[in-house]
Amino acid sequence: MDQIKLLQTRRSKILAAGTETRKYIAELTDADSFVELSGFSFSKNDFYDEGAEGEGVITGFATIDGYPVYIAAQNGAVLSGGVSHANCQKLLRCLQLAEKNSTPIIYVLDSLGVQIGEGVNVLEGLAAVLSKASRLHGIVPQFAIVAGEVYGQSALLAAAADFTFFIKGSVLAANSPLVISAKSGKNLSKEQVGGAGALADTNLVASEEENIAAVREKIVKVLDILPFCNAAVVENGADLNASSPALNEGCTADALVEAVFDEGTAFCFGTGAPEVRCMLGRIGGISVAAVLFDKENGVELDAQNVAKIDSLVRFAGYYDLPFITFVNTLGLKADLATNNSFALKQIYQLMEDYELLENAKIAVVYQKAIGLGYTLFAAKSMGFDYTYAFANAKITLFDDTQGAEIEFAGEKADKGKLAAKYAAENSDPIHAAKNGYVDNIIEPQFVRSYLIASLQMLLK
């Protein structure tokens, strides 16, 4: 037997089976940088009586804009991307290497579920992969790209990832969308069940992109910022003393982002709870994670937006990023849905996860810090190293006199005294500063300079 010809035949079958998946990998990675692992893996599905060239998954390592990464890409062309025990073993090996070499991993997901006929073997294989992915959380950065239809337990890899990007038109669901739709008594398309828009409130979707090239740009932005992959401080030509006089005239969330972050470095992610912007970026060349509350009259807290913030806090803690809050926040939303949700548990979880933050923790009250909004996102006793407030900010227990009156309904409180207590002149940050709770009251135009000085002093 001519071993060279046999090798060529097997190689051609593997390449043919993974044509589309390899195109994805080529567009995602630097030219000619991908090195395949376990390429000559073959097994046979007895149920379909078909061979599984490459085991329905392509694994290897490559670089993205010079950053080394491991890649595990499901191949939807092999038995519909069905997961097998052998498939899982190949995935597991890739995750083990990512852990051993402290290298980020990227999952390209495209699978309709498990292969029929595998039985419990595939469940054990999936358990091994998912267990390893969960143990890698916070050890190496994990990215997931939903590149097709992803159903069943493979969807959990999207949950394990720090960032999950959807290619436009892709679908993610824990079960078949047809089954979910039918059991819900509805007639929905698969996109209406598991598209990026349908999953906006799940805290799973970092963003939806047109193509793999756009996803690559987002991944590069994250890798550029992470001290795990790059320097925590870089010389990027940013003006460390720049001021923004326009902020003194009016400070919107967009204007604040433009004024504070180094040009082209800010990256906003998460499609749910848009009133809370979770961001990565650089300020004066220093990598940071930040949450910015973006609502004209202040953001009311609920289980969903607190969970979104908590995910960012954990990520910042795992990868030694300074954490900044730009506060325009009220207390907990006063409605039945919030009261009967896991909001209080989620708030407690956030407070617990603050313990992960060993780097700088800075608050900027740019509009309102009312009640719980102050406690969670600006209080010294919550661990904030520095708290700054704009001169026109509002820090108080209640947002207005009416709120105080409602809170104290049934009490014999003097409404006149309440009105005086919560009048605008008694809610300015001077009163918090008198007791040392606010380190400095600043003009909005100088916020970037104050942040850079604080980060330089506190950076670990």
Side-chain angles (χ1 to χ4, degrees):
M1 182 181 293
D2 188 329
Q3 296 297 322
I4 299 298
K5 286 185 177 180
L6 178 60
L7 173 64
Q8 291 172 342
T9 300
R10 286 179 168 174
R11 183 63 178 165
S12 65
K13 284 184 177 181
I14 290 172
L15 292 175
T19 301
E20 290 303 314
T21 305
R22 291 176 191 280
K23 283 182 181 178
Y24 269 128
I25 293 172
E27 290 179 40
L28 182 64
T29 60
D30 298 338
D32 300 320
S33 69
F34 181 66
V35 177
E36 189 168 356
L37 297 169
S38 306
F40 290 93
S41 299
F42 288 82
S43 65
K44 186 176 180 180
N45 185 290
D46 292 332
F47 190 87
Y48 288 108
D49 197 29
E50 291 181 26
E53 287 80 11
E55 306 301 353
V57 63
I58 299 170
T59 61
F61 56 90
T63 59
I64 295 181
D65 204 37
Y67 294 109
V69 296
Y70 279 91
I71 295 173
Q74 291 179 320
N75 182 1
V78 175
L79 297 177
S80 299
V83 179
S84 66
H85 185 267
N87 176 300
C88 291
Q89 291 301 303
K90 195 170 174 181
L91 280 168
L92 181 60
R93 173 63 175 155
C94 190
L95 269 66
Q96 290 169 336
L97 289 170
E99 179 181 33
K100 180 179 180 181
N101 296 306
S102 296
T103 302
I105 186 163
I106 301 172
Y107 310 112
V108 182
L109 304 178
D110 185 6
S111 172
L112 298 185
V114 299
Q115 289 183 22
I116 297 175
E118 281 276 329
V120 177
N121 283 339
V122 69
L123 298 181
E124 283 289 347
L126 280 163
V129 170
L130 295 172
S131 177
K132 174 57 74 175
S134 70
R135 291 198 299 274
L136 288 184
H137 192 60
I139 303 299
V140 300
Q142 297 180 74
F143 301 87
I145 303 170
V146 182
E149 297 180 47
V150 183
Y151 307 143
Q153 293 187 41
S154 289
L156 288 168
L157 287 173
D162 299 296
F163 299 90
T164 298
F165 302 99
F166 279 60
I167 303 295
K168 198 166 186 179
S170 59
V171 179
L172 179 83
N175 294 285
S176 164
L178 288 174
V179 173
I180 293 173
S181 181
K183 289 196 172 184
S184 302
K186 297 181 179 181
N187 184 20
L188 302 174
S189 68
K190 58 189 178 184
E191 290 80 8
Q192 289 174 307
V193 173
L199 300 178
D201 294 337
T202 62
N203 206 25
L204 281 173
V205 186
S207 66
E208 183 181 30
E209 305 297 337
E210 285 289 335
N211 50 46
I212 201 77
V215 173
R216 172 192 161 96
E217 290 180 11
K218 291 292 177 71
I219 291 176
V220 169
K221 272 187 171 287
V222 176
L223 297 177
D224 279 343
I225 291 163
L226 281 187
F228 183 92
C229 305
N230 200 350
V233 185
V234 299
E235 292 289 340
N236 59 6
D239 184 354
L240 304 186
N241 298 306
S243 63
S244 303
L247 291 183
N248 280 7
E249 304 302 319
C251 184
T252 65
D254 288 337
L256 191 57
V257 171
E258 185 177 352
V260 166
F261 287 90
D262 299 347
E263 186 176 357
T265 67
F267 167 64
C268 187
F269 59 91
T271 57
E275 72 278 9
V276 170
R277 299 194 197 183
C278 287
M279 307 179 70
L280 300 177
R282 288 187 183 270
I283 300 175
I286 301 171
S287 296
V288 302
V291 58
L292 188 151
F293 295 90
D294 179 14
K295 196 171 184 180
E296 185 176 355
N297 293 315
V299 173
E300 292 180 295
L301 301 173
D302 58 28
Q304 184 187 349
N305 57 32
V306 175
K308 184 177 180 181
I309 296 164
D310 188 39
S311 293
L312 178 64
V313 167
R314 287 199 304 272
F315 184 80
Y318 290 145
Y319 298 109
D320 297 321
L321 289 165
F323 180 70
I324 301 172
T325 59
F326 295 98
V327 185
N328 181 21
T329 320
L330 311 177
L332 198 62
K333 187 180 293 183
D335 61 17
L336 278 174
T338 302
N339 190 65
N340 295 339
S341 71
F342 59 94
L344 291 178
K345 279 286 190 181
Q346 187 59 64
I347 288 168
Y348 180 77
Q349 184 64 57
L350 172 64
M351 293 189 293
E352 195 172 63
D353 287 337
Y354 272 154
E355 296 300 316
L356 294 169
L357 296 173
E358 296 182 355
N359 215 315
K361 193 174 170 187
I362 303 169
V364 177
V365 182
Y366 82 100
Q367 288 194 35
K368 297 178 180 180
I370 310 298
L372 185 63
Y374 172 84
T375 302
L376 286 177
F377 304 111
K380 292 288 188 183
S381 298
M382 197 58 70
F384 283 87
D385 300 292
Y386 285 108
T387 297
Y388 298 109
F390 287 1
N392 54 355
K394 184 176 183 179
I395 301 174
T396 186
L397 186 59
F398 300 105
D399 195 17
D400 53 29
T401 305
Q402 184 179 16
E405 290 179 359
I406 292 171
E407 185 71 20
F408 289 106
E411 307 256 348
K412 294 182 179 179
D414 186 308
K415 291 185 178 182
K417 289 182 179 179
L418 283 175
K421 179 71 175 176
Y422 293 101
E425 61 268 23
N426 288 329
S427 297
D428 69 38
I430 289 290
H431 293 271
K434 284 179 180 178
N435 294 315
Y437 300 137
V438 172
D439 292 289
N440 213 330
I441 301 168
I442 63 177
E443 292 184 44
Q445 65 172 323
F446 299 126
V447 60
R448 174 177 162 86
S449 298
Y450 276 95
L451 284 172
I452 291 172
S454 302
L455 288 166
Q456 289 174 337
M457 178 63 66
L458 295 170
L459 191 67
K460 294 181 181 179

